[in-house]
């Protein structure tokens, strides 16, 4: 780390990596459950929709949203202060731009996960709020 005191970034980094790990774990468990039941795993979107339907899924979605936001913030902080020592030459700048893009993508995913948790203002027309938010984004 640079001369500045960036110790606050360490817990953000850890929470971010934990959030990413949690997503992989949830998708893996739900895929294994689908295989165990004899059905076909549908992917991340179906995994998120099944989380929304489960009684424990709301808390898990909240943890995923927090973890994704922390990871996104970590990637932006790492790019801004060059915490991974990529440097300021062309190759390093490209790597840091990649970190910014990754950070923004994860912040967008965190927003999507948080939006799934929020009640729909259009009433309950049936269907998953994941489907409604996907339709709004598209």
């Amino acid at each position: 780390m640079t001369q500045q005191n960036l110790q606050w970034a360490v817990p953000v980094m850890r929470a971010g990596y934990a959030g990413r790990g949690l997503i992989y774990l949830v998708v893996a468990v739900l895929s294994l459950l689908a295989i165990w039941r004899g059905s076909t795993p549908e992917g991340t979107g179906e995994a998120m929709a099944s989380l929304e339907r489960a009684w424990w899924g709301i808390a898990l979605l909240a943890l995923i949203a927090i973890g994704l936001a922390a990871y996104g913030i970590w990637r932006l902080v790492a790019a801004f202060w060059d915490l991974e020592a990529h440097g300021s030459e062309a190759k390093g700048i490209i790597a840091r731009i990649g970190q910014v893009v990754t950070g923004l993508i994860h912040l967008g995913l965190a927003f999507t996960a948080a939006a799934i948790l929020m009640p729909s203002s259009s009433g309950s027309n049936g269907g998953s709020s994941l489907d409604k938010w996907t339709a709004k984004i598209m």
Side-chain angles (χ1 to χ4, degrees), residues 14-26:
R14 289 179 181 158
Y17 282 119
R20 281 191 73 197
L22 183 61
I23 289 174
Y24 293 130
L25 183 64
V26 166

Side-chain angles (χ1 to χ4, degrees), residues 26-87:
V26 166
V27 170
V29 166
L30 292 175
S31 295
L32 287 173
L33 285 174
I35 291 169
W36 183 271
R37 293 181 193 140
S39 61
T40 305
E42 298 294 327
T44 307
E46 181 60 33
M48 294 290 257
S50 67
L51 281 179
E52 183 184 16
R53 293 187 296 264
W55 63 269
W56 46 270
I58 301 300
L60 201 52
L61 274 172
L63 287 173
I64 287 172
I66 291 167
L68 285 174
Y71 187 77
I73 291 168
W74 163 247
R75 298 315 290 165
L76 294 175
V77 167
F80 184 75
W81 279 292
D82 194 18
L83 298 180
E84 296 179 5
H86 290 295

Side-chain angles (χ1 to χ4, degrees), residues 1-2 17 71 74-102:
M1 289 195 191
T2 62
Y17 282 119
Y71 187 77
W74 163 247
R75 298 315 290 165
L76 294 175
V77 167
F80 184 75
W81 279 292
D82 194 18
L83 298 180
E84 296 179 5
H86 290 295
S88 58
E89 291 145 13
K91 190 174 181 181
I93 290 173
I94 291 171
R96 290 168 71 180
I97 290 171
Q99 289 177 325
V100 169
V101 170
T102 302

